[in-house]
Amino acid sequence: NPNKEQTAELADDQTKLSEAQADLDRVFAQRVLARQARADELAQDQAVLADAQVALAKAKAGGDKLKVAQAQLAVHEAEVNLQSAQEARKNLDTGADATKVATARAAVDKKRLAVSNAQAALAGTQLMAPFDGTILETGASKGDRISPNTTILTMANLKTLRVVASV
């Protein structure tokens, strides 16, 4: 029965769409967590740089060349770490993470298209009676949701009627 097959295909496509949407939601959640981690890392690296700059200023005020050199090295290391954290944050917007999001979005769009195509195919389904006849009763209207084994139409062949009566 083509109608049953189309209904099953639509249900399958809707399930796949739900799964793809869940994957996309998971990618977004991972991205939010990664951004938060990068923001925390940036804040920590900025604090370390600020502390190193204060230590450098104190070392310069003290006049000890060794302490000044050590403080300059600490400032340089903090600047490198901060730059690395800034690049990692930038990569979240343009790098592999952005590719994951684009891939997940494309999968959701593909599944939406499959659901739409299945709905269109199902909408174009015709019901064919196994004999010529007259519709006596309708059990469903356009737009109604029906389940398997639902009576949609009651038909009868009214060309040859027999009346049985007692006299």
Side-chain angles (χ1 to χ4, degrees):
N1 185 348
N3 195 22
K4 284 184 182 178
E5 291 171 11
Q6 289 171 326
T7 303
E9 182 181 335
L10 175 60
D12 185 49
D13 287 341
Q14 288 172 327
T15 299
K16 288 178 182 177
L17 173 60
S18 296
E19 290 169 356
Q21 185 65 51
D23 288 343
L24 178 60
D25 293 344
R26 220 176 351 269
V27 167
F28 274 126
Q30 290 170 346
R31 189 173 186 178
V32 167
L33 291 174
R35 282 180 177 220
Q36 183 59 47
R38 292 294 181 242
D40 293 346
E41 184 180 335
L42 277 171
Q44 183 180 358
D45 288 343
Q46 287 169 338
V48 169
L49 176 59
D51 290 345
Q53 288 170 335
V54 168
L56 176 60
K58 286 181 182 178
K60 284 182 178 179
D64 184 350
K65 290 184 181 184
L66 179 60
K67 287 186 180 182
V68 169
Q70 289 172 336
Q72 286 174 332
L73 179 61
V75 167
H76 179 70
E77 286 176 356
E79 288 171 340
V80 168
N81 289 340
L82 180 59
Q83 183 179 3
S84 175
Q86 288 169 336
E87 287 175 8
R89 173 62 192 254
K90 183 179 176 185
N91 284 339
L92 284 175
D93 297 325
T94 59
D97 194 55
T99 303
K100 275 185 180 178
V101 170
T103 301
R105 277 189 180 145
V108 167
D109 289 343
K110 183 178 177 183
K111 300 303 181 202
R112 280 189 182 136
L113 180 60
V115 166
S116 179
N117 287 342
Q119 287 172 333
L122 190 57
T125 301
Q126 280 187 327
L127 297 176
M128 301 293 282
F131 58 89
D132 290 338
T134 303
I135 296 174
L136 301 176
E137 183 181 347
T138 58
S141 301
K142 182 177 179 178
D144 287 351
R145 291 187 180 259
I146 58 172
S147 59
N149 299 322
T150 300
T151 301
I152 298 171
L153 299 171
T154 302
M155 293 182 60
N157 183 350
L158 300 179
K159 288 184 181 179
T160 54
L161 290 177
R162 266 180 60 193
V163 176
V164 177
S166 299
V167 182

